[in-house]
Amino acid sequence: MYRVISRDIIRGNRLGKYIVEFSFKWPEETKHLYLVSVFSSFFPGRYELTREGDRGKITVKLWEGVYPYKFSTTCGMTLLDEENPLKARIKIWPDSNSEEEFSLALIGTSDYESALEVKGLLPELIIHDEGDPTFISYYLGYTVVRLKTPKNLVKKVFLETEEKKRYEMKRFYQNKYSAFFQGIIEGHVNAYRFLLETDAGREYFGNDGLYSEEFIRPGRVLEIRKPYWFIGSFYYLIFPDSFIVEKLSLEGHRPRSILGGKLRNITSSLDYLSELGVDAIYLTPIYKAASYHRYDVIDHESLDDNLGNWNDWWELVKEAERRNIKIVVDIVAHHLSPCSREFQEAVRNDSSNYHEWFRFIRRPEKDELEALQEVIDRDCKYFPSELRGRVPFYETFLCNWGMPKLNYSNPRVRERLSSLALYWLEKGAKGLRIDVGHAIPDDALKIMYEKVKDSCEDCIVILEISKGVSFYPYGYTSDSAMNYDLRALLLDFYLNKRIDAYDFIDRVKELYTSIPISAANSMYNLLGSHDTPRIATLASTQNKACLETLYATLFILPGAPSIYYGDEVGMLGGDDPDNRQPMLWDEEKWDRKLMCLIKRLGWMRRTLKSLRLGFFDAEVINNESFIIHRWWEDEDILALFSRETRVVYEPPIDYIDFLRQRRVERVELEPYSWNILIKKRK
């Protein structure tokens, strides 16, 4: 069951998130139980229930909304809340048509519905939390401030500073319950209050809330002082084993085995990547591991011999830096291999310090231990039939015997994550992608993030978050995340056609307002990765111009666009492992038009600061088309996009066609096309 216990108190009558307790009758023979929902990427790990008697409980802070949820172990057992009659079948993954049943938690929705019925300004529903960088942050010399109010009740909002300056904030976005106002003010605003205009008149919202005229004085505010390389950068994702494979003739499906890619081959490709416009290379794991994908890491401080040696690594780092290309490494933080020294010691010796690094959920059977020892003797490359179909006696990643889960309630495991991060920064990496980051507790990530920033201020931490990127505290546990939420919206608009332009822009704006501006401009935006089907395959039933327009949208929206190796030349591939085929180096088979587009988009990113650093707004033209607005300092951009209809747009007189560098009185967009207009502000 779930119940709302109270609200966060920010100050006076200013309230914040709802404090919600989820509880469940503890299942028999279950040692650890997790709450899964969109705020944990529907994955067990981030939120663990504490057992009290015969029930498990956990408290979560949430904004108003409808939340599908279940209770789960790490090995596939998911349980609906039978004490809650509200249920729904929901499709949660964009690449799948299947639906799952969830229990539903309705948090705070009745409060907002009541406010809309009585049309009254309820103090507890006017929200500004100066301790949350979503509501105020300093970004490259600007202050970005947001205020949330019930929908349709506030006509205008003004921000007043202690220096007696007044700025009108813009109603940026509204959903079913709330309206979000945003102000972008040059310089640091250190003390401020809001003036709300309604049909009944004007009221102040200050330090103690509604009707308070006292200025709000924020304490620690997230501040981005420099245009770090990772803000708005262009990433290229490489699966090292498959990128350049020498003397290999591969037909049909890719085998789940090592193909022979080398670090030195990546070094030899750096000119190619530089010409593409790439700012950073994200490498999937390069460590000693059992599998070809190397996510079952044996030793995180090693290099896999099949990829090369440390000289090869340092040559890659040096040559990449010479071309101003950064290296981001994959930290497999959630689990290890059974062949790791730590896990072997933990299994052999119950009194070992390493025993507490993992979670053993039952006593192993004799034949399981014997089979596991056989696995280790064979370097974890073979799992005997005795283990197949059986539930491991330890917690794992997705019930996989080959990936025992680390126990982050252990301080030494948390220390290990921090030490690994610092180790790879010392080895020349300029960024870390945290694998299964959505399932690691925030406290462990926070410790690691602080140490990374103390060591290297302009090094980036990117979390893997497969769903619900808006529920993670950027600026405290990471700089950025893999933005699968944006990917889902792009696919649902352009390919699946489940939403129209109004829905698309609303949801993009909702995503943008739910995270700080610095995170929004640093999000790892993607159309494909080593975990998804190739984007050209997904778009293969569409007009070719559809894929090109999809890429243009990705590169012009806020964030850091990425290309999965080979996508720039139109490589095809379905599910794993066929999405990890060797890079297509036969230029006669390339989609040259697509590659030219990617190069042009990369050039635009380097040329136009507004695309890398700038602020964002958007508006809809009709069901099939929209405008993205980006601006920074004296540069102002309007990017027009159309899906299935022809669109005629008459731009403001002071904009010119950016690519043609001439004034146009009207822009005509064919289906699946785009154009970009620019003006210089005075």
Side-chain angles (χ1 to χ4, degrees):
M1 62 179 292
Y2 77 94
R3 64 189 181 101
V4 175
I5 299 173
S6 61
R7 296 275 300 276
D8 252 353
I9 298 175
I10 299 169
R11 186 182 296 274
N13 66 7
R14 285 200 287 141
L15 302 182
K17 291 181 177 179
Y18 292 84
I19 301 174
V20 187
E21 180 189 79
F22 291 85
S23 67
F24 192 71
K25 186 175 180 182
W26 201 271
E28 293 183 7
E29 299 182 358
T30 299
K31 198 166 184 180
H32 302 283
L33 192 64
Y34 302 91
L35 173 66
V36 297
S37 181
V38 64
F39 45 77
S40 69
S41 287
F42 295 102
F43 201 93
R46 188 184 185 198
Y47 292 107
E48 182 177 0
L49 278 72
T50 300
R51 187 165 187 173
E52 298 179 11
D54 67 344
R55 297 187 71 86
K57 294 182 180 179
I58 188 171
T59 299
V60 182
K61 295 181 179 180
L62 299 168
W63 292 117
E64 74 284 349
V66 179
Y67 295 90
Y69 70 97
K70 291 181 183 180
F71 301 98
S72 175
T73 65
T74 63
C75 199
M77 183 179 77
T78 57
L79 302 163
L80 291 170
D81 186 351
E82 298 302 336
E83 297 171 303
N84 178 2
L86 294 176
K87 305 284 193 301
R89 294 193 65 81
I90 297 171
K91 175 183 176 296
I92 58 175
W93 306 117
D95 297 329
S96 170
N97 291 319
S98 63
E99 295 181 340
E100 296 181 39
E101 188 173 21
F102 288 88
S103 300
L104 295 181
L106 277 59
I107 310 300
T109 55
S110 60
D111 295 342
Y112 283 82
E113 289 166 355
S114 298
L116 295 175
E117 285 178 10
V118 301
K119 297 184 179 180
L121 269 186
L122 301 180
E124 63 270 23
L125 301 184
I126 313 295
I127 309 294
H128 176 78
D129 182 356
E130 63 272 24
D132 182 344
T134 301
F135 286 92
I136 179 170
S137 63
Y138 300 139
Y139 175 74
L140 301 179
Y142 292 85
T143 302
V144 180
V145 185
R146 292 167 180 157
L147 181 77
K148 184 166 72 168
T149 71
K151 179 181 177 181
N152 295 333
L153 296 184
V154 177
K155 305 302 179 185
K156 293 182 179 180
V157 173
F158 301 90
L159 183 141
E160 293 186 354
T161 70
E162 201 170 34
E163 294 76 26
K164 298 183 179 178
K165 293 183 179 180
R166 178 182 289 180
Y167 305 89
E168 183 173 356
M169 298 173 68
K170 180 176 182 179
R171 182 189 284 112
F172 183 80
Y173 159 74
Q174 66 181 23
N175 59 27
K176 183 178 179 181
Y177 303 109
S178 302
F180 295 80
F181 290 83
Q182 176 173 277
I184 300 172
I185 300 146
E186 190 169 358
H188 275 202
V189 176
N190 300 310
Y192 56 94
R193 63 190 178 191
F194 302 97
L195 182 62
L196 281 57
E197 184 177 295
T198 70
D199 288 337
R202 288 184 169 185
E203 297 290 352
Y204 276 106
F205 181 91
N207 196 45
D208 291 322
L210 194 61
Y211 314 122
S212 169
E213 297 185 22
E214 182 183 351
F215 288 96
I216 298 168
R217 300 177 189 277
R220 178 182 180 269
V221 175
L222 175 64
E223 180 169 8
I224 303 299
R225 300 182 184 90
K226 303 174 186 176
Y228 298 121
W229 69 263
F230 54 78
I231 301 176
S233 55
F234 175 12
Y235 288 91
Y236 192 85
L237 194 170
I238 293 178
F239 193 82
D241 184 58
S242 301
F243 187 51
I244 299 180
V245 182
E246 300 173 351
K247 298 179 182 179
L248 176 73
S249 177
L250 187 65
E251 297 181 1
H253 296 292
R254 187 207 195 280
R256 296 181 186 271
S257 57
I258 290 175
L259 299 183
K262 308 291 184 185
L263 290 177
R264 65 173 181 268
N265 299 139
I266 299 173
T267 304
S268 70
S269 75
L270 289 173
D271 286 340
Y272 168 82
L273 299 179
S274 182
E275 290 175 7
L276 202 59
V278 167
D279 298 302
I281 299 169
Y282 154 37
L283 299 172
T284 59
I286 54 178
Y287 322 108
K288 182 180 180 182
S291 299
Y292 81 100
H293 52 66
R294 300 186 176 91
Y295 279 99
D296 48 355
V297 179
I298 294 173
D299 180 3
H300 242 121
E301 296 184 359
S302 69
L303 288 174
D304 191 316
D305 291 340
N306 291 290
L307 286 173
N309 56 38
W310 283 111
N311 289 334
D312 297 324
W313 166 258
W314 284 113
E315 185 70 10
L316 172 60
V317 170
K318 182 186 75 173
E319 289 299 315
E321 189 63 35
R322 190 166 69 83
R323 295 165 176 81
N324 203 27
I325 295 175
K326 315 300 182 187
I327 303 293
V328 175
V329 296
D330 209 329
I331 302 294
V332 186
H334 179 267
H335 49 267
L336 284 173
S337 167
C339 281
S340 65
R341 173 178 58 88
E342 297 88 347
F343 186 78
Q344 290 186 59
E345 178 67 25
V347 172
R348 282 197 299 262
N349 184 0
D350 287 0
S351 61
S352 165
N353 289 332
Y354 289 123
H355 191 79
E356 300 304 318
W357 278 42
F358 305 91
R359 285 185 160 174
F360 296 97
I361 54 181
R362 61 177 174 81
R363 298 295 300 179
E365 302 292 336
K366 182 181 178 182
D367 68 322
E368 289 177 319
L369 284 176
E370 291 173 348
L372 193 59
Q373 186 58 52
E374 182 184 355
V375 168
I376 294 169
D377 291 342
R378 296 191 180 196
D379 296 325
C380 292
K381 298 182 184 300
Y382 168 79
F383 281 77
S385 58
E386 290 89 339
L387 297 180
R388 294 172 192 167
R390 296 172 70 171
V391 175
F393 57 87
Y394 45 87
E395 287 200 320
T396 68
F397 173 76
L398 296 179
C399 213
N400 188 327
W401 283 89
M403 296 181 177
K405 176 182 177 292
L406 287 158
N407 174 19
Y408 274 95
S409 64
N410 186 321
R412 293 189 178 182
V413 173
R414 296 197 292 271
E415 290 170 8
R416 172 188 177 273
L417 175 59
S418 297
S419 66
L420 282 177
L422 296 179
Y423 176 84
W424 281 99
L425 297 186
E426 291 171 359
K427 293 293 186 184
K430 288 296 184 180
L432 311 167
R433 182 261 193 184
I434 309 300
D435 183 56
V436 199
H438 47 243
I440 297 172
D442 290 354
D443 60 348
L445 292 172
K446 184 174 185 293
I447 294 168
M448 177 270 297
Y449 181 71
E450 289 174 351
K451 291 186 176 181
V452 166
K453 290 301 172 180
D454 286 343
S455 172
C456 179
E457 188 179 35
D458 70 339
C459 290
I460 188 171
V461 176
I462 306 168
L463 298 184
E464 180 190 17
I465 298 177
S466 56
K467 190 85 170 178
V469 294
S470 61
F471 293 95
Y472 292 77
Y474 304 103
Y476 297 99
T477 61
S478 70
D479 300 290
S480 168
M482 299 187 79
N483 199 353
Y484 281 101
D485 290 37
L486 178 63
R487 175 182 181 270
L489 292 176
L490 288 166
L491 267 56
D492 274 352
F493 178 70
Y494 281 112
L495 302 186
N496 304 322
K497 299 179 178 60
R498 296 190 179 106
I499 58 177
D500 63 15
Y502 290 95
D503 290 329
F504 176 72
I505 293 302
D506 270 356
R507 295 183 193 181
V508 169
K509 283 189 164 189
E510 180 181 33
L511 186 60
Y512 181 84
T513 53
S514 64
I515 55 180
I517 174 68
S518 57
N521 277 350
S522 304
M523 295 299 280
Y524 184 99
N525 293 343
L526 69 159
L527 295 178
S529 77
H530 58 289
D531 288 327
T532 69
R534 291 274 182 182
I535 186 61
T537 294
L538 294 177
S540 60
T541 60
Q542 307 291 328
N543 184 307
K544 261 200 168 184
C546 176
L547 181 58
E548 296 167 4
T549 308
L550 191 54
Y551 270 116
T553 312
L554 181 79
F555 273 73
I556 288 172
L557 281 167
S562 73
I563 295 288
Y564 180 44
Y565 80 94
D567 280 355
E568 74 275 15
V569 297
M571 275 186 68
L572 299 174
D575 293 325
D576 169 21
D578 287 335
N579 58 347
R580 303 170 183 177
Q581 292 276 9
M583 172 67 181
L584 181 64
W585 290 108
D586 184 348
E587 296 186 25
E588 292 185 0
K589 297 179 180 179
W590 285 1
D591 184 335
R592 291 191 171 276
K593 186 180 178 185
L594 179 61
M595 187 176 187
C596 287
L597 172 66
I598 300 300
K599 286 185 176 181
R600 185 194 304 171
L601 293 170
W603 166 77
M604 286 170 51
R605 278 262 160 179
R606 294 192 303 275
T607 304
L608 300 173
K609 285 188 176 181
S610 54
L611 295 186
R612 291 187 73 124
L613 306 176
F615 300 110
F616 157 78
D617 204 346
E619 62 181 286
V620 176
I621 300 174
N622 58 35
N623 284 350
E624 296 289 320
S625 57
F626 56 86
I627 300 172
I628 296 172
H629 185 196
R630 303 293 308 275
W631 70 97
W632 182 252
E633 296 176 342
D634 66 339
E635 190 176 271
D636 199 308
I637 284 173
L638 298 179
L640 288 68
F641 297 88
S642 179
R643 185 170 64 178
E644 290 191 312
T645 61
R646 184 174 178 273
V647 175
V648 176
Y649 175 75
E650 295 184 3
I653 195 168
D654 46 356
Y655 283 86
I656 65 169
D657 186 309
F658 172 68
L659 295 176
R660 296 172 180 83
Q661 286 295 303
R662 59 182 173 83
R663 166 82 179 116
V664 289
E665 295 183 356
R666 53 191 272 144
V667 177
E668 298 183 6
L669 291 183
E670 297 299 322
Y672 294 110
S673 66
W674 60 285
N675 204 332
I676 185 166
L677 309 174
I678 187 171
K679 75 171 181 179
K680 293 293 184 179
R681 296 183 176 188
K682 296 180 181 179

